[in-house]
Amino acid sequence: MVQVKVSEGVLEGELVENEYGGTFYSFKGIPFAQPPTGDLRFKAPQPPKPWQGVRSAKEFGPICYQFSYTNHTLDNMSEDCLYLNVYSPDIKPTPPIPVMVWIHGGGFIWGSGNDDLYGPEYLITHDVVLVTLNYRLEALGFLCLDTPDIPGNAGVKDQVAALRWIKKNISNFGGDSENITIFGESAGAGSVACHLISPMSRGLFKRVICQSGAATCFWSRAFEPRERALLLARQLGFLSEDDQELYHFFKTLPVESLVNLKLQITMSQKSHDRIYFTVVDEKDFGNERFFFGDIVDAVKTGTHKGVDIMTGYTQHEGLMALAISDAEEEIITSAKCYRDFFTPKHIQTHCPMIDHFKAARLIRKFYFKGEDMTADHLDQLIKFLGTDMFAHGVMLTAKLNSKSNTVYFYKFSCTSERNCFSSFFGVGHLNKEKSMVCHADDLAYLFPIKVLSEKVHKNSKTFKLINRVTTLWTNFAKYGNPTPDNSLEVKWNPFTAEEQDYLEIGNELKPGKSPDKEEMECWNDVFREILPKFCA
């Protein structure tokens, strides 16, 4: 047992044996804000209240009430969910230790900072402090009525509250408050990318890692958020559009009504869109706003200067899109039947219908060379979905950020028995022989992931991959450079819009230029002609 004093009182954690070497100190379930319940539902998080005596930090706090697509037996869920966990190799080091703060993904719908997926055992062997956290999800975290009572962005304001608490208290756990890296995957990466342009987050971190997500991915920002809230109200049987009546309705709903939502936002909504509530352009009501304005303009001019950035995507991101469509056959049928299925989402949102078909014709010509979409073209369909959802936005943001910040770009293609997420997402049958690297497969090389049954032996080829990936990530957190020496026998050069240096992180490390060059050039040409704002 070990005790640490923080701003609210004394915490008692424990010293844990790490099966991958050494020991670490564990502090779980630390409140970083008041419970966002009752009148605080949908509101910005409030500072945590102090406690008397010693508070036990040996159990995880409740996670946000949710429906998980990968674990239908979740328990310990509550609206009272604003807790974080700190893992440190040394609570009294000299000098203090670099800090890595993990923001989990899950489509802003599910997930937590708990160790079922995000345990510290791999990363902490590299002498970093790891912090994981919870935040409000789905409608609880991102409902927006464009009113003072429900202005939106509560979930990312939760993340800001956690980062402020970490900045203030992490030195008590041995962490360096001047060397904090925030990192995340998917919706976590979208969150991290938005912190990079948020006025609320300025000065709270030194570096960021965005894995398979960016501020310019279409799902990172909610289009017409009030309309989404009104649609949800109507779907739940409430027809009034009066602001106060709506607020009372949403505030008093049972929490079960605000999770596992299925909304048809528009008649033409694509079947692979399932993120309804996310970051919004927040109206000014005299309080702190997490984000406001145009997202591309913000990335161009509002990116926090001097923050180092690492970003990239996995080799077959689009495999997941077939899973979240609810019906794999449905999405394939739509791709066969509807020409405008291949309209990039940003063009679908911002441009008239005539441009939808123009863009779709250009995109289909690139992927299918004039042939009809059939089951034999599934690989090409997966490539399109992955670029629409992830790769185009990640590349666009990297190009824009590289004009003012140091950026390291990667493409992740490791394959081993750790590549498990296609099975988690229910599309493993598509991946039996092709060794696709699915969205989120990179997570298994950073975290133990308890649901994987097989333990990784330290002398195995797989553990060498894990050690290589965690070395790259922690080197970046420590030094702002993933390859500061020749220990990995590779030099990873910074990315620029002109040269587009990147690192292929596969079973071998291979430097290269212009990842997926022809595909990215096609998309860039389409956007340059139809929607230049999303072209770089």
Side-chain angles (χ1 to χ4, degrees), residues 515-529:
D516 301 307
K517 182 178 180 181
E518 292 183 1
E519 187 176 15
M520 292 300 176
E521 286 179 349
C522 169
W523 281 69
N524 222 29
D525 290 344
V526 169
F527 276 96
R528 185 179 291 111
E529 183 174 348

Side-chain angles (χ1 to χ4, degrees), residues 382-454:
I382 289 170
K383 286 184 69 176
F384 162 74
L385 293 171
T387 301
D388 192 27
M389 292 188 74
F390 301 103
H392 172 257
V394 171
M395 177 61 75
L396 172 61
T397 296
K399 287 181 177 179
L400 296 175
N401 283 336
S402 68
K403 299 180 188 304
S404 57
N405 297 63
T406 300
V407 176
Y408 290 91
F409 199 95
Y410 69 83
K411 183 176 177 181
F412 192 91
S413 59
C414 282
T415 55
S416 74
E417 73 279 5
R418 302 290 293 172
N419 295 48
C420 58
F421 277 85
S422 60
S423 296
F424 285 1
F425 294 138
V427 289
H429 60 287
L430 300 175
N431 197 18
K432 287 182 179 179
E433 299 178 358
K434 298 182 179 180
S435 298
M436 294 185 184
V437 184
C438 183
H439 180 75
D441 271 343
D442 49 341
L443 297 179
Y445 298 86
L446 293 169
F447 303 101
I449 304 189
K450 284 187 174 180
V451 291
L452 287 177
S453 56
E454 293 186 15

Side-chain angles (χ1 to χ4, degrees), residues 18 58 64 80 121 133 209 255 309 336 388 438 464 496:
N18 187 356
K58 300 171 190 173
C64 182
D80 174 10
E121 288 82 359
L133 57 95
I209 305 174
V255 68
I309 300 166
K336 289 178 180 178
D388 192 27
C438 183
K464 289 180 181 178
T496 64

Side-chain angles (χ1 to χ4, degrees), residues 199-492:
M200 289 183 69
S201 308
R202 192 180 302 276
L204 296 178
F205 48 85
K206 188 174 184 178
R207 302 183 175 102
V208 304
I209 305 174
C210 300
Q211 302 169 218
S212 303
T216 54
C217 291
F218 69 76
W219 45 263
S220 284
R221 181 174 172 269
F223 181 73
E224 292 288 348
R226 180 177 170 86
E227 288 297 329
R228 295 166 185 243
L230 293 175
L231 176 59
L232 176 59
R234 290 194 296 271
Q235 187 167 292
L236 294 172
F238 190 79
L239 303 181
S240 172
E241 296 189 11
D242 178 82
D243 289 347
Q244 284 302 311
E245 291 177 1
L246 279 163
Y247 172 57
H248 180 75
F249 171 74
F250 281 122
K251 188 176 75 167
T252 56
L253 276 174
V255 68
E256 295 83 359
S257 299
L258 295 171
V259 301
N260 196 22
L261 305 174
K262 290 180 172 59
L263 305 179
Q264 183 74 23
I265 304 300
T266 68
M267 290 181 65
S268 61
Q269 180 193 48
K270 291 181 184 176
S271 56
H272 64 276
D273 305 342
R274 286 294 180 267
I275 300 176
Y276 310 118
F277 300 104
T278 177
V279 177
V280 301
D281 175 5
E282 198 171 339
K283 301 295 184 289
D284 187 0
F285 300 113
N287 298 317
E288 281 189 296
R289 291 186 285 172
F290 178 79
F291 174 77
F292 51 90
D294 178 84
I295 198 76
V296 176
D297 289 344
V299 175
K300 285 181 178 178
T301 63
T303 297
H304 302 334
K305 301 297 186 291
V307 175
D308 301 320
I309 300 166
M310 192 167 103
T311 189
Y313 52 82
T314 67
Q315 191 172 18
H316 303 99
E317 295 278 7
L319 190 58
M320 183 198 65
L322 296 178
I324 63 173
S325 67
D326 290 336
E328 174 192 323
E329 292 184 4
E330 176 190 332
I331 199 170
I332 294 173
T333 299
S334 296
K336 289 178 180 178
C337 294
Y338 300 109
R339 296 291 186 186
D340 64 332
F341 177 91
F342 291 97
T343 305
K345 179 63 175 178
H346 282 308
I347 292 174
Q348 187 188 65
T349 301
H350 292 92
C351 299
M353 185 64 73
I354 191 171
D355 287 331
H356 294 193
F357 286 98
K358 184 177 183 179
R361 283 191 289 268
L362 294 170
I363 293 288
R364 288 187 83 261
K365 183 178 180 180
F366 172 80
Y367 286 104
F368 304 111
K369 314 302 181 188
E371 297 181 11
D372 290 334
M373 164 71 197
T374 69
D376 294 333
H377 296 100
L378 189 61
D379 287 358
Q380 294 301 101
L381 176 61
I382 289 170
K383 286 184 69 176
F384 162 74
L385 293 171
T387 301
D388 192 27
M389 292 188 74
F390 301 103
H392 172 257
V394 171
M395 177 61 75
L396 172 61
T397 296
K399 287 181 177 179
L400 296 175
N401 283 336
S402 68
K403 299 180 188 304
S404 57
N405 297 63
T406 300
V407 176
Y408 290 91
F409 199 95
Y410 69 83
K411 183 176 177 181
F412 192 91
S413 59
C414 282
T415 55
S416 74
E417 73 279 5
R418 302 290 293 172
N419 295 48
C420 58
F421 277 85
S422 60
S423 296
F424 285 1
F425 294 138
V427 289
H429 60 287
L430 300 175
N431 197 18
K432 287 182 179 179
E433 299 178 358
K434 298 182 179 180
S435 298
M436 294 185 184
V437 184
C438 183
H439 180 75
D441 271 343
D442 49 341
L443 297 179
Y445 298 86
L446 293 169
F447 303 101
I449 304 189
K450 284 187 174 180
V451 291
L452 287 177
S453 56
E454 293 186 15
K455 179 185 173 183
V456 181
H457 295 285
K458 289 186 67 176
N459 60 353
S460 66
K461 291 182 180 179
T462 298
F463 193 79
K464 289 180 181 178
L465 294 177
I466 291 168
N467 189 61
R468 184 185 294 159
V469 173
T470 51
T471 296
L472 290 169
W473 261 241
T474 54
N475 275 349
F476 177 78
K478 293 173 183 178
Y479 313 115
N481 182 345
T483 55
D485 53 37
N486 198 41
S487 61
L488 294 175
E489 300 180 342
V490 69
K491 180 175 174 56
W492 186 350

Side-chain angles (χ1 to χ4, degrees), residues 29-41:
I30 305 170
F32 62 84
Q34 293 178 37
T37 57
D39 288 340
L40 293 182
R41 180 187 274 188

